[in-house]
Amino acid sequence: MKLFAIRDESAEIQKDLAWLLYYETEKRFYIELPDDADEWETPLLLSSFVKSGERTVNSYWSRVWVQQRIVPADRQNIGQVLKDNGLKEYDEFDLLLLSMGRCAQDDYFLVSRKEQELPPQVRGRFAKRVEDVISLGCNTLLVFFRDGMVRKCDLTVWFREHSRFSILMKKEKLFDCVRMETGGHGVTWDENMSIPDYILYQYGEKVPLVMEDFRAFAAQRIINASEAAEILGCSRQNVNDLIKRGKLHPVKATARSTLLLKSEVLKRNWQ
């Protein structure tokens, strides 16, 4: 993950107005806003999130903010632009770095940051990211969070209040295809059907786990070494090497097979 602070070059006192997170493998952006964000200081596109009390900007709108600051992919002379800047192909992140986020429309720019430099309240959000999720059917998810909390989330009311999710109430097999957002920022079925982590954390009911929950988890989230190799795009030998180096931790390993948590394998692509 790459991390950058968003600042205003015209401001007398320089401070971090927001933070841009970029996950290289999935090529996804997220923006975090401070708890005390000022809508008049925050970049215009992001100020609506401040007004509504949201402090994590979803991947769609974070990407839109980035796209407003780079050369568009459909520009007539884009091939020459890429060549002049030493780029072999169009890549939003590479183009963003060329000017460190500067554009002609405003005075915002990016400054490289490390996670430990973030304010405590922002780092605290990371502890409540989604660690894993499984479908229990009947519009209900079992969500595991990084701080150890486990919540059962009945989303029936949420789906009724947000019409774009209505198809999930009609097609349970589609509902069962739920997956984590990149970086654990929530859960998603597609780009237009995502629920952020903080909503799930507040919305869900803290409950003790039962055996059937564990069985559902095992059926959906435990994979073998061959499946892990397919996800990582490598050989089984590479998977075995990751295990030997302590980068992957088997749930169970025998002479004939190795079982791994799918979530841990997926997260290898976020690093």
Side-chain angles (χ1 to χ4, degrees):
M1 180 187 76
K2 302 293 185 183
L3 176 63
F4 301 88
I6 299 174
R7 291 190 168 190
D8 184 348
E9 206 160 29
S10 66
E12 292 184 11
I13 301 175
Q14 290 293 300
K15 65 178 183 178
D16 297 351
L17 303 177
W19 299 272
L20 176 70
L21 285 64
Y22 178 66
Y23 296 90
E24 297 173 273
T25 301
E26 287 88 351
K27 297 183 181 295
R28 292 176 78 87
F29 298 93
Y30 291 88
I31 292 175
E32 294 287 343
L33 300 168
D35 285 358
D36 59 351
D38 183 332
E39 66 177 273
W40 300 107
E41 295 180 333
T42 304
L44 181 61
L45 180 67
L46 310 178
S47 61
S48 61
F49 289 87
V50 177
K51 292 178 183 178
S52 64
E54 298 177 70
R55 291 299 179 263
T56 297
V57 181
N58 62 46
S59 61
Y60 175 81
W61 287 109
S62 296
R63 185 181 183 190
V64 169
W65 185 82
V66 168
Q67 290 173 333
Q68 290 182 344
R69 319 191 70 74
I70 61 176
V71 179
D74 59 357
R75 181 165 169 170
Q76 189 173 6
N77 65 334
I78 188 63
Q80 188 61 47
V81 171
L82 297 179
K83 183 178 180 181
D84 291 345
N85 288 282
L87 300 179
K88 294 182 180 180
E89 60 184 7
Y90 188 90
D91 184 280
E92 293 173 337
F93 182 66
D94 288 341
L95 289 166
L96 185 70
L97 289 186
L98 287 175
S99 63
M100 288 304 288
R102 292 178 173 84
C103 73
Q105 283 69 44
D106 56 49
D107 296 307
Y108 298 110
F109 69 104
L110 302 178
V111 178
S112 182
R113 282 281 182 266
K114 295 181 180 179
E115 187 174 326
Q116 56 266 33
E117 295 178 298
L118 291 170
Q121 68 269 23
V122 177
R123 281 187 277 117
R125 298 174 199 168
F126 290 10
K128 296 181 180 179
R129 295 282 186 249
V130 175
E131 184 72 9
D132 214 329
V133 59
I134 60 172
S135 165
L136 300 178
C138 300
N139 306 321
T140 302
L141 299 177
L142 188 66
V143 186
F144 299 77
F145 295 91
R146 290 183 187 173
D147 64 355
M149 183 68 70
V150 181
R151 292 185 180 271
K152 186 177 286 187
C153 303
D154 183 344
L155 300 172
T156 303
V157 175
W158 174 272
F159 288 169
R160 288 173 179 165
E161 293 176 348
H162 300 80
S163 59
R164 65 184 182 278
F165 291 92
S166 60
I167 190 173
L168 298 177
M169 300 180 70
K170 301 173 184 176
K171 297 185 177 182
E172 189 163 316
K173 287 186 177 180
L174 181 59
F175 177 79
D176 290 342
C177 292
V178 65
R179 63 186 187 278
M180 287 187 295
E181 281 267 24
T182 299
H185 288 266
V187 302
T188 185
W189 289 267
D190 67 28
E191 191 170 52
N192 294 315
M193 291 191 293
S194 298
I195 302 178
D197 51 351
Y198 63 89
I199 292 292
L200 295 165
Y201 201 93
Q202 297 170 4
Y203 204 86
E205 177 187 359
K206 183 181 177 182
V207 294
L209 297 179
V210 298
M211 184 56 67
E212 288 304 314
D213 295 334
F214 280 113
R215 286 177 178 170
F217 181 89
Q220 298 181 42
R221 308 306 292 177
I222 294 179
I223 60 176
N224 60 35
S226 295
E227 292 170 311
E230 183 176 351
I231 290 172
L232 295 173
C234 66
S235 66
R236 284 192 60 175
Q237 288 75 15
N238 290 133
V239 172
N240 291 334
D241 182 63
L242 288 170
I243 293 171
K244 289 179 181 178
R245 292 190 288 120
K247 302 299 183 180
L248 289 177
H249 306 86
V251 174
K252 184 177 181 180
T254 67
R256 293 187 176 183
S257 66
T258 300
L259 300 180
L260 300 147
L261 283 175
K262 186 176 182 179
S263 60
E264 185 180 33
V265 175
L266 287 169
K267 283 184 281 188
R268 287 293 307 169
N269 284 330
W270 301 349
Q271 299 176 356

